[in-house]
């Protein structure tokens, strides 16, 4: 299904951003600034001009990425039943699935290796709750309700202790991680930048629904392995709770997302199946690029990497 398309090739490099690392650091810094809570200021016109420049770079990256993966989604079914069968097949056959990195994290990684992995993951976390909230704008009623239910779960159903974002923050604090944009490998930043582009740009709204849905579909096995690895390393329940919760909850979230978001969207507009599929495939390829980069770092001196 996937032949190893280089995500770096989808970027548009400029003198300011001459390579993938520079481009995705720049996009990540811009996303942090533009999505932060702000206040009126006198330099707003310069800020708007900078936003326009960065939106062009972001758009060129996304469109280049879409062109790269076009052959992978050329034959996606446009009927709801066929589309869901194709989509659910990504759980086993999609890019990055069953990557050996996660069995290794579960059974062999030491604490410092686990900390490095989670630092990369935390730095590349775009915030599932905010992505869902931005994606649901002007969606049809049934998908909008499903995204709302998903968001309510992300919000801990109204209880601070159950909110998923702060739950991850407690893992980061407990493990004394210090994620930074500049210290993160570019594939992790590219994943967050891609998801943010989808959710904040209305022409990519279908892509965002597909990408978020494939996260729910494929995450449980991976986060379950991380949870077991943290348990093996003696970390307390509070530091494992985020991963344990998602290993269980995302299974049900995926079923509901497929039935109540994807199916009605394809029923209403069969042509959107292509965009849903592109979003899902692009998200999985971003993940695969991350796993490749993580293994290259973590297994650099290990015999297991040489065998890959």
């Amino acid at each position: 299904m996937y032949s190893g398309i280089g995500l770096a090739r989808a970027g548009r490099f400029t003198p300011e951003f001459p390579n993938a690392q520079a481009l995705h650091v720049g996009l990540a810094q811009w996303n942090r600034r533009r999505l932060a809570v702000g206040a009126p200021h006198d330099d707003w016109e310069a800020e708007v001009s900078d936003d326009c420049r960065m939106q062009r770079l972001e758009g060129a990256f996304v469109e280049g990425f879409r062109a790269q993966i076009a052959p992978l989604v050329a034959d996606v079914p446009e009927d709801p039943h066929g589309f869901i069968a194709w989509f659910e097949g990504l759980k086993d056959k999609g890019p990055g699935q069953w990557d050996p990195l996660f069995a290794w994290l579960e059974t062999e990684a030491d604490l410092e290796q686990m900390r490095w992995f989670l630092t990369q993951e935390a730095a590349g976390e775009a915030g599932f709750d905010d992505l869902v909230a931005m994606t649901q704008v002007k969606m049809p009623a049934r998908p909008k309700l499903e995204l709302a239910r998903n968001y309510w779960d992300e919000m801990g159903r109204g209880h601070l202790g159950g909110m998923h974002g702060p739950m991850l923050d407690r893992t980061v604090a407990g493990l004394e991680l210090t994620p930074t944009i500049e210290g993160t490998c570019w594939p992790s930043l590219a994943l967050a930048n891609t998801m943010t582009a989808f959710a904040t740009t209305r022409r990519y709204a279908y892509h965002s629904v597909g990408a978020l849905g494939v996260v729910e579909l494929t995450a449980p096995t991976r986060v379950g392995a991380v949870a077991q690895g943290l348990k093996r390393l003696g970390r307390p329940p509070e530091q494992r709770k985020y991963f344990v919760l998602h290993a269980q909850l995302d299974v049900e979230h995926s079923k509901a997302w497929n039935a109540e978001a994807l199916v009605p969207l394809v029923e209403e507009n069969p042509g959107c199946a292509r965009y849903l599929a592109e979003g899902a495939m692009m998200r999985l390829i971003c993940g695969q690029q991350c796993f490749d980069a993580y293994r290259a770092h973590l297994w650099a001196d290990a015999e297991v990497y040489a065998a890959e």
Side-chain angles (χ1 to χ4, degrees):
M1 178 177 289
Y2 174 60
S3 58
I5 294 168
L7 181 53
R9 287 162 47 199
R12 175 173 290 183
F13 304 134
T14 66
E16 184 179 0
F17 304 119
N19 53 46
Q21 182 73 27
L23 173 65
H24 287 292
V25 166
L27 287 172
Q29 291 171 335
W30 171 61
N31 283 327
R32 175 179 289 180
R33 190 266 296 165
R34 70 170 173 140
L35 296 177
V37 176
H41 56 82
D42 292 338
D43 292 333
W44 67 269
E45 289 178 298
E47 183 176 273
V48 170
S49 294
D50 186 61
D51 285 346
C52 182
R53 178 179 66 92
M54 295 303 294
Q55 284 174 340
R56 288 182 181 276
L57 280 171
E58 177 189 67
F61 163 69
V62 173
E63 289 304 312
F65 197 173
R66 289 186 63 221
Q68 289 285 341
I69 62 98
L72 304 180
V73 297
D75 299 321
V76 169
E78 292 189 347
D79 66 286
H81 178 77
F83 177 77
I84 291 299
W86 177 90
F87 189 86
E88 291 182 343
L90 295 174
K91 183 175 182 179
D92 289 320
K93 298 179 181 178
Q97 296 313 292
W98 309 107
D99 193 286
L101 172 68
F102 292 91
W104 179 82
L105 288 169
E106 180 176 358
T107 61
E108 297 185 45
D110 63 29
L111 182 58
E112 286 309 303
Q113 290 166 329
M114 181 68 80
R115 290 182 71 250
W116 184 90
F117 164 78
L118 290 174
T119 298
Q120 298 294 310
E121 289 283 279
E125 172 58 45
F128 198 92
D129 52 351
D130 290 337
L131 297 176
V132 171
M134 290 185 283
T135 299
Q136 60 81 37
V137 174
K138 300 299 181 181
M139 281 286 166
R142 262 181 77 191
K144 193 180 187 79
L145 277 172
E146 180 51 39
L147 270 63
R149 286 188 287 265
N150 190 290
Y151 180 77
W152 188 234
D153 281 346
E154 289 284 330
M155 291 292 99
R157 296 180 172 266
H159 299 284
L160 178 62
M163 290 178 66
H164 295 186
M167 200 179 293
L168 179 59
D169 291 341
R170 289 193 289 274
T171 298
V172 169
L175 289 169
E176 299 181 327
L177 310 181
T178 53
T180 64
I181 290 174
E182 295 74 15
T184 302
C185 61
W186 73 260
S188 182
L189 299 177
L191 188 156
N193 290 336
T194 300
M195 297 295 286
T196 301
F198 287 166
T200 58
T201 309
R202 299 317 293 162
R203 67 180 178 273
Y204 299 130
Y206 289 124
H207 290 76
S208 191
V209 175
L212 293 168
V214 89
V215 172
E216 301 284 28
L217 177 72
T218 63
T221 302
R222 293 194 299 272
V223 296
V226 174
Q228 288 300 314
L230 288 170
K231 183 177 182 179
R232 172 180 57 80
L233 293 167
R235 308 315 297 178
E238 184 177 73
Q239 293 176 19
R240 296 184 269 120
K241 186 176 181 181
Y242 175 85
F243 303 100
V244 172
L245 176 66
H246 282 273
Q248 301 166 351
L249 187 61
D250 285 357
V251 175
E252 296 306 315
H253 275 177
S254 177
K255 293 177 182 178
W257 194 282
N258 292 358
E260 298 299 322
L262 298 183
V263 166
L265 286 174
V266 176
E267 285 178 339
E268 180 177 302
N269 176 15
C272 82
R274 170 69 176 262
Y275 307 131
L276 295 167
E278 286 182 354
M281 190 64 72
M282 291 163 77
R283 171 57 181 82
L284 291 181
I285 290 172
C286 284
Q288 184 180 53
Q289 296 276 346
C290 287
F291 308 154
D292 289 345
Y294 297 164
R295 281 189 276 101
H297 176 88
L298 291 167
W299 295 359
D301 299 319
E303 291 182 4
V304 67
Y305 186 69
E308 269 299 291

